[in-house]
Amino acid sequence: MPELPEVETIVRQLRGVLIDNTLAGIEVYREKSFEGGFEKVIGKSVSAIERKGKIIFVRLSGDIGLMIHLKMTGQLIWRKNEKRIVGGHPTVDWVGNLPSSHTRVKISWLDNGELFFNDMRVFGWIKVTSLQQWQELGRKLPHDVVDDGFDKNYFEKIVKKSIRPIKVLLMDGSLIGGVGNIYANDALWLAEINPNRVARSLKKEEVEKLYKSLLYVINKGIETGGASASNYVNLDGLGGKYQEHFLSYKKEGEKCSRCGGVFMRSKIGGRGSFWCPGCQK
DNA sequence: ACTCTTGTTAAAAC
DNA sequence: GGTTTTAACAAGAG
């Protein structure tokens, strides 16, 4: 599940290979995965790569671009001159020959590079989008957790008026941009707060601690190149390292490093949740 | 063969 | 009217 740190990792890598590159061709293997006309983007060159929440925008000359959402299983992988290592070991990092059975779109570039959009579950998408549409969407979406606008006051305001479980609030993409299941679970463990707590029942100190914890885990995720717990790989087809730093995510049955309790797993707001009943109160 | 999984959104319910 | 809940999407893992 690519969340902000995973998407940010890809965005930084995309800047390295796509800026000033020219879009040469598009091949769509699955209709549902691509929306819009090729003629509007072929021959255009990349001027910037932007990100808002988990959405990527490849900005092209002519006030147009490609908006990309990876949803749960989307991958963007860059290949140039077919430099795949032959005889490598099949590991979590291994993507193999492309296109694969999960490749939905291939975008070719003037420097012979190829960008593959893989998406096993076909929830993700690439859409031809005008610069104006992108900017309008940006105005509607909430601040990312890493934005200056997402300050302690804003966070306290939304926490104080919600009766939902705090974890559900953390993952509400209409109020906070970029947070998904992994980082919501880990932030709550770090803040020693039970994910089931009614949001507005949190004391002021708890809200502050959670705010700091959230920023900490998201930044840790960016520093470590994202979490490869399932499908996520970066632009080189390699996994990130944040899974080595998981605080609570996917730890059910394991011992809590802080209090020795045993991690629980349950569903909160329909999503798998992990927490330690010993120290998350 | 069946259930579970996941991010987002649209629609329904409160 | 704003907030909250639920279902739907697709396909693989167990």
Side-chain angles (χ1 to χ4, degrees):
Chain A
M1 319 103 267
E3 303 178 29
L4 189 151
E6 290 73 29
V7 178
E8 177 63 23
T9 301
I10 291 173
V11 161
R12 291 177 184 183
Q13 293 179 301
L14 280 175
R15 289 190 181 117
V17 295
L18 291 189
I19 299 284
D20 293 334
N21 211 336
T22 298
L23 202 160
I26 302 174
E27 192 156 350
V28 175
Y29 303 93
R30 180 68 82 98
E31 284 299 320
K32 187 178 181 286
S33 302
F34 192 94
E35 189 184 303
F38 301 168
E39 70 284 353
K40 291 180 181 170
V41 291
I42 288 176
K44 303 284 168 64
S45 65
V46 177
S47 58
I49 311 286
E50 299 171 26
R51 178 189 61 72
K52 180 88 184 179
K54 301 169 188 170
I55 306 176
I56 300 168
F57 185 65
V58 178
R59 185 170 168 179
L60 298 162
S61 53
D63 287 347
I64 203 155
L66 296 172
M67 197 157 76
I68 305 171
H69 200 309
L70 302 173
K71 290 290 178 88
M72 286 104 58
T73 59
Q75 303 174 325
L76 284 176
I77 299 158
W78 177 257
R79 287 280 168 83
K80 195 172 168 182
N81 305 327
E82 202 45 45
K83 277 199 297 189
R84 192 167 75 82
I85 306 151
V86 175
H89 298 290
T91 68
V92 67
D93 295 339
W94 189 255
V95 175
N97 286 315
L98 292 171
S100 70
S101 60
H102 292 147
T103 301
R104 309 306 181 193
V105 181
K106 181 179 87 174
I107 304 177
S108 309
W109 302 83
L110 202 61
D111 71 347
N112 291 324
E114 293 181 309
L115 185 65
F116 292 88
F117 175 52
N118 292 349
D119 186 17
M120 185 179 78
R121 289 191 184 150
V122 206
F123 279 29
W125 40 254
I126 299 179
K127 295 177 185 177
V128 175
T129 308
S130 72
L131 179 62
Q132 191 189 0
Q133 285 175 304
W134 166 245
Q135 290 171 339
E136 274 170 26
L137 181 65
R139 266 176 252 126
K140 281 184 212 158
L141 292 172
H143 292 298
D144 285 4
V145 273
V146 294
D147 287 349
D148 290 341
F150 186 79
D151 56 25
K152 217 177 283 182
N153 285 341
Y154 173 79
F155 185 56
E156 189 165 6
K157 193 183 79 188
I158 60 173
V159 169
K160 278 298 171 193
K161 75 172 183 189
S162 174
I163 61 166
R164 287 187 288 174
I166 185 63
K167 176 162 180 282
V168 174
L169 183 78
L170 288 184
M171 293 175 64
D172 185 338
S174 70
L175 297 172
I176 307 172
V179 180
N181 207 20
I182 294 173
Y183 299 96
N185 275 296
D186 277 8
L188 285 160
W189 182 87
L190 190 58
E192 301 181 73
I193 294 169
N194 188 304
N196 294 292
R197 285 274 298 282
V198 170
R200 71 179 180 200
S201 77
L202 267 64
K203 295 184 205 118
K204 191 174 168 110
E205 310 86 76
E206 291 177 317
V207 177
E208 278 182 24
K209 194 171 182 185
L210 182 55
Y211 175 80
K212 282 182 193 164
S213 301
L214 191 52
L215 290 181
Y216 176 84
V217 295
I218 289 283
N219 283 310
K220 188 82 178 174
I222 295 172
E223 280 167 30
T224 54
S228 294
S230 48
N231 293 266
Y232 170 72
V233 291
N234 66 22
L235 204 61
D236 300 320
L238 304 172
K241 296 259 190 273
Y242 183 77
Q243 66 279 6
E244 296 167 15
H245 304 272
F246 280 164
L247 300 173
S248 66
Y249 186 70
K250 285 202 166 168
K251 285 193 180 288
E252 75 268 29
E254 290 182 40
K255 236 180 190 178
C256 172
S257 61
R258 186 167 51 208
C259 77
V262 178
F263 279 104
M264 298 278 298
R265 176 182 183 149
S266 71
K267 242 177 200 184
I268 302 173
R271 291 291 172 256
S273 305
F274 309 84
W275 82 97
C276 172
C279 53
Q280 288 182 260
K281 298 298 183 185

